[in-house]
Amino acid sequence: MHFNLYNWLFQDPYSAGLNAGKSGAETFHFQWPYLIFCGLGLLIWFYYMVEGRKRFVKSNPIIKRVLDDYLNWFAVICFVGLPIIFARVYLDGYFFAWRFWRYLWAVALLVWAVMFVVYWIRKYPAERDNFVAYQRRQRYIKTGKKAKAGAR
């Protein structure tokens, strides 16, 4: 017997269970880790948007912008993960219960993580130095006084 990747990825759990000799759908052992991961990811995003932006990165606009962008994408990935898990558990004979969707979700999460790490290693130091130089230049630029509107 050889392994057929296409059937493995695009077969609903109910058919896979019947093909394996079970009376129903194949069991899904990772329901709770998926739910906990997606729930914690959404909770982290929510806390950051409500409180973390003001408390932790108020004075550093570069980190604030980066965390806004990356945590928004992380929240989207976690939010999309919830219906995928729901479909796997409760809609086990249908289109969105295929393994393909869970692995596509995992690839999206992996791509997000790699982009996040690459940004902090490669791009952030240059942006930080550029911002520090900009702040240093701004100290020596005079700000003009605004004329009063009714002074004519």
Side-chain angles (χ1 to χ4, degrees), residues 20-87:
K22 297 180 181 178
S23 61
E26 67 178 355
T27 56
F28 182 58
H29 302 287
F30 300 110
Q31 174 184 356
W32 289 108
Y34 270 81
L35 284 173
I36 290 170
F37 180 80
C38 289
L40 283 177
L42 289 173
L43 188 65
I44 289 169
W45 171 80
F46 181 75
Y47 177 76
Y48 173 75
M49 287 297 163
V50 171
E51 183 67 27
R53 294 178 83 219
K54 293 180 275 187
R55 179 178 290 183
F56 300 121
V57 293
K58 181 186 211 177
S59 63
N60 196 336
I62 295 174
I63 294 177
K64 187 176 185 179
R65 179 187 56 83
V66 170
L67 286 179
D68 283 351
D69 293 343
Y70 283 100
L71 283 180
N72 282 338
W73 275 110
F74 184 62
V76 167
I77 290 170
C78 288
F79 186 74
V80 167
L82 292 174
I84 291 173
I85 298 164
F86 173 80

Side-chain angles (χ1 to χ4, degrees), residues 3 12-14 24 35 59-60 68 78 90 110-111 129 132 138:
F3 179 70
D12 62 282
Y14 190 74
L35 284 173
S59 63
N60 196 336
D68 283 351
C78 288
Y90 295 108
L110 183 67
V111 166
D129 295 342
V132 168
Q138 289 302 104

